[in-house]
Amino acid sequence: MLSSVRAALGLSLTCISALSLISPAWFQTPTFSFGILTYCSWPQGDSWNQSCMTFSSLEDIPDFAWKVSAVMLLGSWLLLAFNSIFLLSWAVAPKGLCPRGSSGPMPGVQAVAATAMIVGLLVFPIGLASPFVKEVCEASSMYHGGKCQLGWGYIIAILSAVLVSLLPIISWPHTTKVQGRTIIFSSATERIILVPEMNK
């Protein structure tokens, strides 16, 4: 049961991360918004009539820090997607095929994905000093949006990074010591393993 919950959480966070990556609303003005991979413009007061473009390759992305951020965030998303599919297959596999006594197949991959996501989110605002962003946001600089406001896409990406960084923590096995023995709680519905301590 616990592995199914972890799989559902991982899959949900992968979808939320994908939504934030394709969102053009990381930073916005009343007539323009941009995200890590897309940007949109519209006439003043008519936000329903948007014209959006996607950066089709790394060469199209206007700033080096922005490119680094895109690579880190896309890499972390690929790791999350791979891990989620693996967790899902591990959760639905028969018990004899995949032992359930461990914390899951790959909490290390989740930790690497969380680290890459956080680094990508910290590097992205350096790109606010690029000529592309300065033209739109006017007085922007590194870590300062100028006339651009923080949009919902970047906030969702930050929340997703926080939740992804918590996912490996709930995946580690919980242990406690009682009268010279270590008790490992493998899950709520399975068994408790008593491991005697060896004195050195």
Side-chain angles (χ1 to χ4, degrees):
M1 166 121 174
L2 191 59
S3 59
S4 300
V5 170
R6 277 191 225 123
L9 278 173
L11 197 57
S12 299
L13 289 174
T14 301
C15 293
I16 291 169
S17 296
L19 176 68
S20 69
L21 281 177
I22 62 172
S23 163
W26 282 36
F27 285 91
Q28 57 193 23
T29 67
T31 60
F32 193 84
S33 67
F34 62 92
I36 193 81
L37 301 173
T38 55
Y39 60 94
C40 296
S41 63
W42 57 89
Q44 181 78 31
D46 188 13
S47 62
W48 291 101
N49 189 16
Q50 292 187 4
S51 173
C52 296
M53 299 292 293
T54 302
F55 298 116
S56 58
S57 68
L58 277 179
E59 289 81 30
D60 294 340
I61 296 177
D63 188 61
F64 180 73
W66 202 333
K67 292 175 186 180
V68 170
S69 179
V71 168
M72 296 295 285
L73 290 169
L74 286 171
S76 70
W77 181 82
L78 287 173
L79 285 173
L80 276 177
F82 172 72
N83 191 56
S84 296
I85 291 168
F86 197 73
L87 270 175
L88 188 62
S89 64
W90 186 70
V92 297
K95 280 188 178 184
L97 185 61
C98 297
R100 303 291 198 267
S102 65
S103 64
M106 302 184 302
V109 172
Q110 295 167 346
V112 169
T115 303
M117 188 178 287
I118 291 168
V119 168
L121 289 171
L122 289 174
V123 168
F124 179 75
I126 295 172
L128 294 175
S130 71
F132 175 84
V133 178
K134 282 187 176 186
E135 183 180 327
V136 175
C137 300
E138 296 176 17
S140 67
S141 61
M142 280 193 266
Y143 294 100
H144 178 67
K147 293 195 176 187
C148 288
Q149 296 178 345
L150 194 62
W152 63 267
Y154 195 62
I155 293 170
I156 294 292
I158 291 169
L159 290 174
S160 177
V162 169
L163 293 174
V164 166
S165 64
L166 293 176
L167 195 58
I169 295 170
I170 65 169
S171 295
W172 295 108
H174 305 290
T175 62
T176 188
K177 293 186 178 193
V178 175
Q179 295 180 1
R181 294 182 179 219
T182 302
I183 300 174
I184 301 174
F185 298 97
S186 61
S187 80
T189 59
E190 296 180 26
R191 62 187 177 274
I192 297 175
I193 304 167
L194 297 174
V195 180
E197 285 188 358
M198 300 294 193
N199 291 332
K200 294 184 180 181

